[in-house]
């Protein structure tokens, strides 16, 4: 939109050029009115007199700089994807939970893997002791992956997989399951988390050092560009940075600095920005400060659009769009008075919707204590459904746009986040900054300050340091079946006894050879998983070539 | 409160133990050296009449925070274990005590955890407890315990310091000054003090931008001092000859580069002491 | 610097000798405490915070980082001769890993090292861990002051 445009003309052009084609393909939901039957406009904008720098800073939904949203009709067309993160014990048990969630109206799957799978140890590895099937499902081989998606047609669901260090292997398994179901790779939809940088910064689930890990990342970008055009190749995650104790601005700053690093890595590997950037996705946390959080999402969109267009010269508007998944903040849940968490989750989910999220996971009220029970997971999903169907927040686009408060918060977060990105550039980019402990230290400072404020009562948390004293509610807790570990260990041992050993051995030496030669690792990994090589075996080969990362300590 | 064993009891226990059972009495003796008054004197008394091993070769690693001292000590130890299956190594890592609370977070072990289960390695974290100079007051007593444990080599990592923390040179047979590119001041940081006590200068993270420049700056700084008399805060061990111009080496602890060159300049004992 | 506050307001505080001499411990008895994370979960926010509040209370904390095996933790605890070990765990693997740490301490003749636990641990398991010999378990929401005073209190009786 040109600066000289009057806002009325600009709005009319947006309706004609941006909205109309979308409406032709996907009409808006019917009956968009308030609870009192007042019709709700698609978008509310300032008056001609108030418009000011509206065009540069806010613009129109679906148009640069996307402050108000990435789609022209947002939730008036299609609601966000309600995607509940789940997985535990063995593939069979998780498969039952997925079918339950789909029956309850979930519109996408989100697979939680256990820690041994995420780091690349088989279930019978001594390193996996005590961890099998705990925080997610244990996947050792393609056989487990087949069981995980048994009866779930992969051309009908989109699947998000929280997997990073071992993402290439799990992606290969997903492709192989698709093939067995008769679904070609090109039809698979979903998202691979595949964000290794934040593992070094905040989450700790790394295996290999940063540089070879980034090579795996760009191998995945290149492979998916050719073979899985509808799959999001990465979900660049601020969520875990926030969980580790960052501020909202640090969450945006470090996440976008990670994005810069991934883009640069892919460019160095010879990819063209507009070939892979449209499939970069993001993942943020939503905390309880409703306005700050909504502003955070808006700021992230605007800043990212500018980075992609100005810094990387992307031409395709889809390369400028920051599309993101949101999860309500796990650390905000309290063990005390756990029922209160229902309210926290509702506010956080509302923040995500007001901020224009593309998909959303809502936490169970019991998750400060354990994985959620089925009932708690259902209530969490209902929370999203109430926001979608009853609150009216989904009836117009960017309802908070134009609030003095929210716009100033948006500007401020954008400014602070940009300063972090600059600080990281000055340190030689994100990998160097991580090696120097910079983001880790910044997050640690914020986390310490925040916890101190709560401990000293300067920041109030209901039920924790104020309004305490009610008898604790007795919340039933979900328990992972202890026998599941033994079953899984048995399963992987039986698998090793029954497969074609020569094929496994050959495929593993092929991976080592490709790793040394520097070619794309995905085809050889795909061959290995089809031969039922295990996650642990493949990772051992890769660790032999790449080395293993060792944490550094960066004390304040 | 349970009774603390006396220093002579611990010495006897250590002498009577073998293998990993030696860790416990050695650990407790170090605590005694740090905590108890006159501990070193009591120890010397307790050792009277015992057959004592030779003290270890003490190598100090000092340098600015962020130079990668812990990672380097970890890498040197791992390489030394490979190259010399006869030697035992004690690592003493010093971190600062908070002047406000007296507390400390000692985090050097984080980078050395792969050594935690090595039978030939003993690692102890020490806090400065108000001592200026980059090490801790009890270091001589701690080195004595390392000797009793059977250390052939002791690697002492100092607090990440400025240029005045040079006490390591009073305790070490050889002091290595560790630097890395990208820390800002470069050679400016090496004023008198460190420049004078350094027996070797190490450019760590030699794969990074700026390492070559730092290396050549260090070389010229070292060479400009070649006619100045070499003085030591502690006599060189018998048989140890240090070059007039201290060597400058480029290493990468992370990538394992240059470690063999570094080991080559360490005056390692020809045979294990034990 | 509490003494300073009682001085005449005319006296510039920088003329006064340092009220808190270097290394003066805040705690009545300075303890050495190892903080580590066994198992594979990498969420170290809680562990780092506890390390910092123990430092602030005047103790020496040996921080060993994430993803450590019980064997590594016990070997470090013995070499460091700590008074206590604090283990933080969020993944639910506590039963197996705490039991292993206690067993290894016994094997090293180091049962006098007190073991504390923290993390997402259900009540039934807390009972089980206490019965195994863990001194106290701090579940989510326990304040810093409670953690410090409980550890100090347990150590003072040993």
């Amino acid at each position: 939109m040109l600066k000289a445009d009057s806002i009325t003309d600009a709005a009319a052009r947006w309706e004609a050029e941006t909205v109309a084609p979308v409406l032709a393909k996907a009409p808006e939901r019917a009956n968009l009115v308030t609870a009192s039957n007042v019709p709700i406009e698609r978008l509310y904008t300032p008056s001609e007199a108030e418009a000011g720098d509206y065009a540069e800073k806010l613009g129109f939904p679906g148009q640069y700089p996307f402050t108000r949203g990435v789609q022209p009709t947002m939730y008036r067309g299609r609601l966000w994807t309600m995607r509940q993160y789940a997985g535990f014990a063995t593939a069979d048990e998780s498969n039952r939970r997925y079918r339950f969630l789909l029956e309850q109206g979930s519109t996408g799957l989100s697979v939680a893997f256990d820690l041994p799978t995420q780091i690349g140890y088989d279930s019978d590895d001594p390193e996996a002791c005590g961890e099998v099937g705990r925080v997610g499902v244990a996947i050792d081989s393609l056989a487990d992956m087949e069981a995980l998606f048994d009866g779930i047609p992969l051309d009908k669901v989109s699947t998000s997989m929280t997997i990073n260090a071992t993402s290439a292997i799990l992606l290969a398994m997903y492709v192989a399951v698709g093939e067995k179901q008769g679904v070609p790779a090109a039809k698979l939809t979903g998202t691979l988390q595949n964000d290794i940088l934040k593992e070094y910064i905040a989450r700790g689930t790394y295996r290999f050092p940063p540089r070879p890990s980034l090579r795996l990342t760009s191998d995945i970008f290149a492979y998916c560009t050719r073979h899985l055009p509808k799959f999001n190749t990465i979900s660049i995650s601020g969520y875990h940075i926030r969980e580790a104790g960052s501020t909202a601005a640090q969450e945006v700053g470090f996440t976008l600095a990670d994005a810069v690093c991934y883009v640069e890595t892919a460019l160095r590997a010879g990819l063209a920005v507009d070939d892979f950037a449209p499939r970069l996705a993001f993942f943020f946390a939503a905390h309880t400060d409703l306005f700050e959080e909504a502003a955070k999402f808006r700021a992230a969109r605007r800043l990212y659009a500018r980075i992609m267009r100005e810094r990387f010269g992307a031409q395709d508007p889809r390369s400028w769009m920051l599309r993101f998944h949101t999860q309500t903040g796990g650390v905000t849940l309290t063990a005390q008075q756990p029922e209160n968490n229902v309210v926290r989750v509702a506010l956080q989910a509302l923040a995500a919707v007001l901020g224009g999220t593309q998909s959303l996971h809502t936490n169970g009220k019991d998750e400060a204590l354990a994985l959620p029970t089925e009932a708690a997971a259902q209530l969490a999903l209902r929370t999203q459904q109430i926001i979608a169907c009853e609150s009216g927040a989904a009836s117009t686009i960017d309802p908070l746009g134009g609030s003095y408060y929210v716009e100033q918060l948006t500007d401020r977060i954008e400014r602070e986040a940009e300063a972090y990105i600059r600080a990281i550039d000055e340190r030689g980019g994100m990998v160097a900054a991580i090696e120097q402990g910079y983001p880790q230290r910044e997050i640690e400072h914020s986390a310490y300050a925040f916890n101190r404020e709560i401990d000293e009562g300067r920041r109030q948390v209901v039920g924790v340091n104020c309004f305490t004293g009610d008898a604790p509610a007795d919340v039933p807790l979900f328990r992972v079946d202890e026998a599941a570990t033994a079953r899984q260990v048995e399963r992987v041992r039986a698998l090793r006894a029954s497969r074609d050993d020569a094929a496994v051995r050959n495929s593993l030496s092929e991976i080592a050879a490709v790793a040394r030669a520097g070619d794309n690792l995905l085809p050889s990994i795909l061959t290995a998983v089809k031969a039922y090589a295990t996650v642990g075996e493949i990772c051992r080969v890769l660790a032999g070539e790449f080395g293993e990362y060792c944490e550094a300590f960066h004390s304040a | 409160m349970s009774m603390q064993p006396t220093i002579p009891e611990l010495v006897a226990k250590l002498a009577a133990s073998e293998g990993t059972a030696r860790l416990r009495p050695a650990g407790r003796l170090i605590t005694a050296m740090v905590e108890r008054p006159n501990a070193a004197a009591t120890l010397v008394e307790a050792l009277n009449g015992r057959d004592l091993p030779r003290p270890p070769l003490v190598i100090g690693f000092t340098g600015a925070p962020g130079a990668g001292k812990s990672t380097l000590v970890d890498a040197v130890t791992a390489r030394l274990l490979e190259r010399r299956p006869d030697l035992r190594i004690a690592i003493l890592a010093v971190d600062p005590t908070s002047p406000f609370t007296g507390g400390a977070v000692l985090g050097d072990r984080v980078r050395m955890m792969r050594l935690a289960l090595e039978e030939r390695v003993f690692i102890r974290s020490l806090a400065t407890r108000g001592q200026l100079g980059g090490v801790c007051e009890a270091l001589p007593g701690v080195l004595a315990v390392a000797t009793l444990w059977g250390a052939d080599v002791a690697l002492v990592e100092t607090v990440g310091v400025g240029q005045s923390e040079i006490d390591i040179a009073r305790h070490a047979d050889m002091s290595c000054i560790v630097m890395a590119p990208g820390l800002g001041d470069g050679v400016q940081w090496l004023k008198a003090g460190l420049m004078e006590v350094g027996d070797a200068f190490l450019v760590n993270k030699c794969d990074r931008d700026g390492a070559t420049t730092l290396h050549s700056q260090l070389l010229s700084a070292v060479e400009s001092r070649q006619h100045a008399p070499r003085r030591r805060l502690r006599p060189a061990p018998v048989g140890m000859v240090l070059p007039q111009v201290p060597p400058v080496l480029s290493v990468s602890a992370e990538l394992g580069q240059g470690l063999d060159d570094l080991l080559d300049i360490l005056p390692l004992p020809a045979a294990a002491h034990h | 610097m509490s003494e300073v506050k009682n001085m005449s307001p005319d006296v510039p505080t920088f003329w006064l000798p340092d009220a808190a001499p270097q290394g003066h411990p805040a705690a009545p008895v300075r303890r050495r405490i190892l903080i580590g994370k066994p198992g594979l979960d990498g969420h170290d926010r809680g562990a780092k915070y506890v390390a910092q509040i123990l430092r602030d209370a005047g103790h020496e904390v040996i921080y060993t980082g994430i993803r450590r095996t019980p064997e590594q933790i016990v070997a470090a605890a013995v070499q460091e001769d700590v008074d206590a070990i604090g283990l933080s765990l969020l993944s639910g693997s506590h039963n197996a890993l705490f039991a292993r740490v206690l067993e290894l301490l016994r094997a090293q003749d180091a049962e006098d090292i007190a073991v504390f636990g923290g993390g997402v641990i259900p009540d039934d398991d807390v009972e089980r861990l206490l019965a195994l010999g863990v001194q106290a378990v701090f579940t989510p929401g326990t304040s810093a002051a409670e953690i410090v005073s409980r550890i100090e209190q347990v150590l003072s009786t040993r």
Side-chain angles (χ1 to χ4, degrees), chain A residues 275-307:
Chain A
D275 284 347
F276 64 88
R279 280 182 326 286
L280 305 180
F282 288 81
F283 172 24
F284 291 110
H287 281 204
T288 321
D289 187 331
L290 186 71
F291 300 105
E292 182 174 65
E293 292 299 284
K296 174 184 79 181
F297 301 123
R298 302 170 86 248
R301 264 196 303 271
R302 182 161 73 204
L303 181 52
Y304 182 69
R306 186 148 51 83
I307 291 170

Side-chain angles (χ1 to χ4, degrees), chain B residues 71-170:
Chain B
T71 316
L72 184 60
V73 167
D74 171 70
V76 165
T77 305
R79 188 60 61 94
L80 196 50
L81 287 172
E82 263 171 49
R83 215 158 106 164
R84 292 290 302 271
D86 56 328
L87 298 186
R88 291 168 180 272
I89 303 159
I91 297 174
L92 308 171
V94 189
D95 273 325
T97 293
S98 158
F100 299 104
T101 67
V105 175
L106 313 175
D108 293 324
R109 258 187 181 275
V110 170
R111 295 179 209 226
M112 303 178 188
M113 283 312 278
R114 63 171 164 167
L115 303 173
L117 296 176
E118 283 289 344
E119 286 212 19
R120 292 188 286 131
V121 177
F122 187 103
I123 306 177
R124 181 66 173 234
S125 313
L126 299 161
T128 54
R129 298 210 174 175
Q131 180 83 359
L132 302 173
V135 295
C136 64
E137 200 180 359
L139 187 58
V142 175
L143 284 167
V145 178
T147 308
L148 295 180
W149 170 73
D152 303 293
V153 178
L155 307 180
V156 182
E157 179 192 339
T158 74
V159 173
V161 291
Q163 51 220 355
S164 58
E165 281 83 358
I166 54 168
D167 273 6
I168 184 61
R170 299 180 202 282

Side-chain angles (χ1 to χ4, degrees), chain A residues 191-396:
Chain A
T191 304
L192 204 58
Q193 192 163 83
N194 193 27
D195 171 10
I196 198 67
L197 291 172
K198 61 90 173 58
E199 299 294 338
Y200 307 110
I201 299 172
R203 187 164 174 266
T205 315
Y206 40 68
R207 178 75 182 261
F208 317 115
R211 292 165 207 266
S213 293
L214 281 174
R215 171 204 164 171
L216 275 170
T217 309
S218 65
D219 282 0
I220 290 171
F221 285 4
Y223 187 84
C224 289
T225 299
R226 285 193 57 193
H227 301 284
L228 287 91
K230 290 161 83 177
F231 219 83
N232 293 315
T233 51
I234 193 167
S235 176
I236 306 167
S237 306
Y239 179 82
H240 314 92
I241 289 171
R242 190 65 178 280
E243 285 287 289
S246 81
T247 62
Q250 287 170 338
E251 181 187 357
V252 175
F254 295 147
T255 306
L256 296 193
D258 283 347
V260 166
C261 178
Y262 291 123
V263 171
E264 285 173 342
T265 304
L267 294 176
R268 266 199 307 275
L271 302 177
V273 66
D274 285 320
D275 284 347
F276 64 88
R279 280 182 326 286
L280 305 180
F282 288 81
F283 172 24
F284 291 110
H287 281 204
T288 321
D289 187 331
L290 186 71
F291 300 105
E292 182 174 65
E293 292 299 284
K296 174 184 79 181
F297 301 123
R298 302 170 86 248
R301 264 196 303 271
R302 182 161 73 204
L303 181 52
Y304 182 69
R306 186 148 51 83
I307 291 170
M308 293 309 287
R309 193 164 88 166
E310 293 176 7
R311 178 166 179 168
F312 293 112
Q315 303 287 320
D316 185 340
R318 291 178 308 152
S319 302
W320 307 332
M321 292 180 195
L322 183 146
R323 296 169 301 121
F324 66 102
H325 172 70
T326 307
Q327 179 169 341
T328 58
V331 289
T332 67
L333 302 177
T334 63
Q336 298 90 335
Q337 304 180 10
E339 302 287 346
N340 295 351
N341 293 327
V342 177
V343 183
R344 292 194 179 97
V345 168
L347 287 167
Q348 295 164 0
L350 182 61
V353 170
L354 293 173
T357 195
Q358 276 57 62
S359 66
L360 179 60
H361 165 102
T362 33
N363 287 328
K365 64 180 181 182
D366 51 359
E367 290 191 63
L369 303 162
L371 292 186
T373 60
E374 205 162 271
Q378 191 180 38
L379 177 57
L381 179 60
R382 294 285 178 261
T383 306
Q384 293 196 40
Q385 291 161 339
I386 290 169
I387 292 171
C389 305
E390 301 180 26
S391 76
S395 301
T396 187

Side-chain angles (χ1 to χ4, degrees), chain A residues 498-511:
Chain A
S498 66
R499 61 189 183 177
D500 176 353
D501 275 341
V504 171
R505 267 198 313 277
N506 289 342
S507 69
L508 291 175
S509 13
E510 176 64 14
I511 290 176

Side-chain angles (χ1 to χ4, degrees), chain A residues 115-116 119 121 127-131 134-135 202-207 240 242-246 331 335-336 367-370 440 444-453 455 464 477 479 482 548-556, chain C residues 38-46 48-57 63-70 72 89-97 100 119-125 128 139-146 148:
Chain A
L115 292 165
I119 299 171
Y121 298 117
E127 293 278 350
C129 171
E131 303 281 10
R134 287 280 165 200
V135 302
R203 187 164 174 266
T205 315
Y206 40 68
R207 178 75 182 261
H240 314 92
R242 190 65 178 280
E243 285 287 289
S246 81
V331 289
Q336 298 90 335
E367 290 191 63
L369 303 162
Q440 298 96 309
E444 204 178 306
H445 282 309
S446 301
Y448 177 72
F450 187 89
N451 285 359
R452 268 271 124 132
E453 285 164 18
D455 273 336
V464 172
L477 292 187
R479 299 208 69 131
E482 300 265 349
E548 308 225 7
Y549 180 74
C550 177
E551 173 191 19
F553 179 71
H554 302 282
S555 182
Chain C
L40 298 178
D41 105 74
H43 297 99
D44 56 5
R45 178 180 183 170
K48 282 187 169 161
Y49 185 59
V50 169
Q52 288 166 323
I53 60 175
L54 288 167
R55 173 202 62 197
D56 293 349
Y63 184 76
T64 60
I66 63 169
R67 287 166 57 178
R68 303 311 180 194
T69 63
Q72 290 173 327
L89 259 170
L90 279 84
S91 67
S93 56
H94 42 267
N95 289 335
L97 294 172
R100 183 78 183 130
V120 181
I121 298 174
D123 288 349
D124 309 355
D125 287 354
R128 205 154 132 187
T139 48
T142 314
S143 76
E146 281 171 72
V148 171

